[in-house]
Amino acid sequence: MPQFSVSDVALFGEQMIRNISKVMVGKETVTKRLLIALLSDGHVLLEDVPGVGKTMLARSLAASCGGSFCRIQCTPDLLPSDVTGLSIYNQKQEDFVFRPGPIMAQIVLVDEINRATPRTQSSLLEAMGEGQVTVDGATYDLRKPFMVVATQNPVEFEGTFPLPEAQLDRFFLVLQLGYPTAEEEKEVLHRLQEEHPISALAPVTEPNHVAQLQEVVARVHVEESVRDYVVHLVRSTRQHPQVQLGASPRGSLALIRAAQAAAALDSRDYVVPDDVKFMATSVLAHRLILKAESILRGTTASSIIGELLHQVDVGVEGDL
Amino acid sequence: MKMKALLPALAAIFTFSIIGLGTKYLGLLFPALSVPFCLWPFILLSAIESAYFATYYLGPRTPSLWRLIELAVWLVPVYLLSGRSAEPFLRNGFWVVSSWLMARGYGSQLSFMERVADHLGDQGAQTVNWEYESLASLDSDHAPLKYFWRRFFGYGGVIAILAMAFHAKIGDLHGEDVLHLRLLGSAAVASGLALQGGAYLFRLQILWGYAKADVHPSLARTWLKGMAVLLLVLVLFINVAPVDYWPLTATRISTMLRNFVVKGPTVSMPPITSDEKASRLEEDPFWFFPEDVALGPWGFILAFATLIVFAGMTFLLVSVIGLVALRLVGHELEKLRGLPKLAAQVYLGLRESLRILLGMMRNIRVGPRPLGRLPNVSELGEVTKSKKHTESMRKPRGVRAMFRRIAKVAKKKGLAFSPSQTALEYGKTLQEHFPEVARAVQEFLDGYQKVRYSDRELSESDQSKLLEVGAVIVEEIERWKGE
């Protein structure tokens, strides 16, 4: 088995971004963050208005990775067994046979996740948290790498079920794509005029390699002061006067892991505070619950994280 | 200086003064209860340790075993110093434990003040009314300030009673006893009032912090300066002012009391003769110290050395337990509970302190001083100028020291480093202002980040190259005349 290093992670990142850019125009930063989630063994929630390319981003990621891909289109009548799979009676064998559901794929696109009922949403919890699925008392391990890319529309609330906090906390990152610029939109029109480039997208790596790169990321060195910075940052979310519930220790763990992946993608085997700052909003914002009066005032979790990034002491060289 | 760091020291001094006065008066009243000189450092140090530990670490989840270990650290040397006999040990141990407990109460209270702020902080700290009510401490659950007043007057009352009893029974004092009592009394009054005032400011600072009030950073310093002057004047007034401040003198009060006591029922206690007073320490045989040494400066040094050795051994043992515990759980601190967790934290703290110490030693600037003749007066101006130039160009040893130097020089030009900035963010600011050295800044910061955050060290040649790049940046910043 070849020994991978951070330079391999950086090369993987470059190839993936170049490949995905064939489909997604001008979304390099979002793609980088998506790769960070993949390398950190995390799951991503893409939250944006319809038609900005959420589904396409997930599909192009799966195509570039070369792993198995499945899509679950969430509706209110979707059942947990539609996600996890179910045992059916095989008359020939005179026994129950397990038929795996779409969650058994390596990259799973859960489209419009907030349209599924809480019962179905929670069936994703075990898969996302533990990397395994239990059906009829039998536990099935999911193949590595396993990543759930869920999407939801933040402006349409009718007939939707907002994600429970427990599940929201299990998403490693929440990303927004945003509208493309005029130039980028023109480029999209040009590229999609004849054939959609997704159909011609070839994989640039193998799923096994991704799993090994995840191990490389986990070994990236985190200096004590960076760890302190992460802890102070996360703790400051709990003490912020406009926040009802701050980020959990799972948020600290996710932030460290995300910073490790960001460092590895920059071909560094050590984390710097800039990596933490780069990932802080995507990792922490969705883990905060703001007070009702703050929401009415128009404060957002992202703005609070931004404010804290300007307040919390990074601890570069003590008092200068 | 942060109030939180200062207050435990004041609490420890106050505790020491009160215990010192108590032991002194009791020793004078009942010679059998007198405390040997070598116990005094233990009383002071136990108060300091207890106050700081309670302020910064002690919590409801601190294992009881840890508290017992802490007590043992103090009591075992006291046991040895008490000649390993029960009676003197109980007497001496009582004072050390009393000091430890009293200081612990203050430390816990300071820590509690912060916790109350945590609890109340979100509930509208912006309202002045709430702030006032909190300071007034009407609610007994949230009344940390009353704690200080009550104890100040309470302990003061106990000492006053002892003083009056002494004056009533024995009368006037002479010699070094007067000096001791005067010093301890002054220390008690000064530290007690400073502690009260400091606690009040500390409380205000917590509230202002939550209310996000714009407070001038030098306020605490001004406050402390003002209070120090006030206390100094007070102490001087009490001790040296040639004023007969009747009716406040202890002598007058005690004379009145003596008259009262003489007329009232008498307590049958044998009078103390000077021989008895002189020989009272001979009654306490010391196993560890010779009797004459115990009273002198050697007694102090030996007592201190005993404590250091014992505390050091305990610290080492706890660190070893921590190391073993960490190894057993695969360096996952979260899996540990109770004393093993605390031991692991002590071990990690020790390791981190050593690492910082070694890092500091590496970065220490040791500028070689050129030997030569002294400059004459006519050369002095030129020499001063060239010395200044040499100093500004002198290379700090180590890349991190060079970064600090760059930040220091840039600060003088108005480009101060903000604590919430990363090195790269600061570098961008420098690049914007000094485009001529933008590449040098980038090169230096790349190297700096490796030194600062990587677990590998740069080679000597890479380091010296970075130092040269840093020197170029410093030179460019120094040349800058501003915008």
Side-chain angles (χ1 to χ4, degrees), chain A residues 22-23 56 59 187-201:
Chain A
K22 289 175 188 168
V23 179
M56 201 48 64
R59 280 183 63 190
E187 178 63 26
V188 170
L189 293 179
H190 174 69
R191 280 194 202 176
L192 272 65
Q193 196 173 348
E194 290 174 10
E195 195 186 356
H196 201 297
I198 188 88
S199 51
L201 210 60

Side-chain angles (χ1 to χ4, degrees), chain B residues 362-368 387-406 409 444 460-475 478:
Chain B
R362 267 202 297 271
N363 287 336
I364 282 175
R365 274 192 283 174
V366 187
K387 189 183 164 195
K388 196 178 168 186
H389 182 68
T390 316
E391 265 181 11
S392 75
M393 294 303 291
R394 194 167 56 192
K395 284 182 197 168
R397 293 183 66 151
V399 177
R400 290 182 66 176
M402 177 55 90
F403 179 82
R404 285 196 291 270
R405 173 137 183 79
I406 292 171
V409 175
F444 177 78
E460 283 288 327
S461 61
D462 282 349
Q463 283 206 35
S464 52
K465 195 181 165 196
L466 276 179
L467 292 177
E468 280 167 22
V469 174
V472 171
I473 299 167
V474 169
E475 206 176 333
E478 282 186 332

Side-chain angles (χ1 to χ4, degrees), chain B residues 111-264:
Chain B
S111 152
F112 173 69
M113 280 163 78
E114 274 197 323
R115 281 209 298 278
V116 170
D118 281 350
H119 177 65
L120 295 174
D122 289 347
Q123 299 175 7
Q126 287 85 348
T127 58
V128 175
N129 189 39
W130 179 84
E131 188 174 335
Y132 167 74
E133 281 177 9
S134 176
L135 281 170
S137 304
L138 299 172
D139 183 352
S140 61
D141 287 342
H142 305 142
L145 292 171
K146 278 188 181 172
Y147 179 94
F148 293 91
W149 272 130
R150 282 179 188 149
R151 266 140 199 81
F152 182 69
F153 287 119
Y155 294 133
V158 170
I159 297 301
I161 289 167
L162 283 173
M164 286 173 191
F166 169 76
H167 283 290
K169 189 182 161 199
I170 295 165
D172 294 333
L173 268 175
H174 301 286
E176 66 178 20
D177 284 337
V178 178
L179 182 70
H180 287 168
L181 286 173
R182 185 167 280 182
L183 284 174
L184 287 169
S186 303
V189 171
S191 59
L193 287 173
L195 181 63
Q196 176 65 31
Y200 201 83
L201 178 63
F202 181 50
R203 181 78 177 149
L204 275 172
Q205 281 178 338
I206 292 167
L207 296 171
W208 288 336
Y210 275 94
K212 296 196 183 303
D214 189 15
V215 181
H216 198 274
S218 67
L219 181 80
R221 216 180 311 130
T222 317
W223 174 298
L224 285 172
K225 215 186 288 174
M227 195 161 61
V229 171
L230 192 72
L231 291 174
L232 193 67
V233 170
L234 182 73
V235 169
L236 283 174
F237 183 75
I238 291 172
N239 286 286
V240 294
V243 182
D244 183 11
Y245 31 93
W246 186 91
L248 296 174
T249 53
T251 316
R252 282 181 190 280
I253 295 168
S254 59
T255 310
M256 287 158 65
L257 276 171
R258 188 158 40 188
N259 293 336
F260 174 75
V261 172
V262 167
K263 285 170 191 168

Side-chain angles (χ1 to χ4, degrees), chain A residues 221-226 229 238-244 268-274 277 291 307-320, chain B residues 118 121-123 126 210 212 351-352 355 400-401 403-405 407-408 411 417-425 428 446 448-450 452-456:
Chain A
H221 176 71
V222 185
E223 208 266 334
E224 204 59 38
S225 68
V226 178
Y229 177 50
R238 296 173 203 157
Q239 287 155 359
H240 196 282
Q242 289 182 298
V243 176
Q244 189 179 341
R268 267 185 283 111
D269 61 354
Y270 55 91
V271 175
V272 296
D274 301 81
K277 283 196 167 186
K291 286 183 179 171
E307 181 192 324
L308 291 174
L309 287 176
H310 282 97
Q311 285 175 358
V312 176
D313 193 343
V314 178
V316 175
E317 284 294 340
D319 291 332
L320 283 174
Chain B
D118 281 350
D122 289 347
Q123 299 175 7
Q126 287 85 348
Y210 275 94
K212 296 196 183 303
R351 203 177 64 176
E352 181 62 14
R355 197 186 62 74
R400 290 182 66 176
F403 179 82
R404 285 196 291 270
R405 173 137 183 79
K408 203 173 162 187
K411 190 180 177 182
F417 181 85
S418 157
S420 66
Q421 270 184 318
T422 65
L424 276 186
E425 285 169 345
K428 274 181 193 147
D446 286 345
Y448 167 78
Q449 294 207 114
K450 260 182 212 155
R452 177 72 180 84
Y453 297 110
S454 165
D455 54 349
R456 288 191 304 246

Side-chain angles (χ1 to χ4, degrees), chain A residues 29-71:
Chain A
T29 310
V30 176
T31 310
K32 189 178 176 186
R33 289 198 164 111
L34 197 64
L35 292 179
I36 285 169
L38 177 67
L39 289 167
S40 309
D41 200 11
H43 310 286
V44 175
L45 177 63
L46 297 173
E47 198 177 42
D48 220 320
V49 291
V52 289
K54 302 187 292 285
T55 310
M56 201 48 64
L57 180 61
R59 280 183 63 190
S60 50
L61 175 75
S64 303
C65 274
S68 55
F69 172 74
C70 258
R71 174 183 174 152

Side-chain angles (χ1 to χ4, degrees), chain A residues 114-132:
Chain A
N114 55 341
R115 291 206 178 276
T117 58
R119 191 172 157 221
T120 309
Q121 287 172 1
S122 62
S123 69
L124 285 165
L125 278 181
E126 188 188 4
M128 289 170 67
E130 314 291 333
Q132 61 182 32

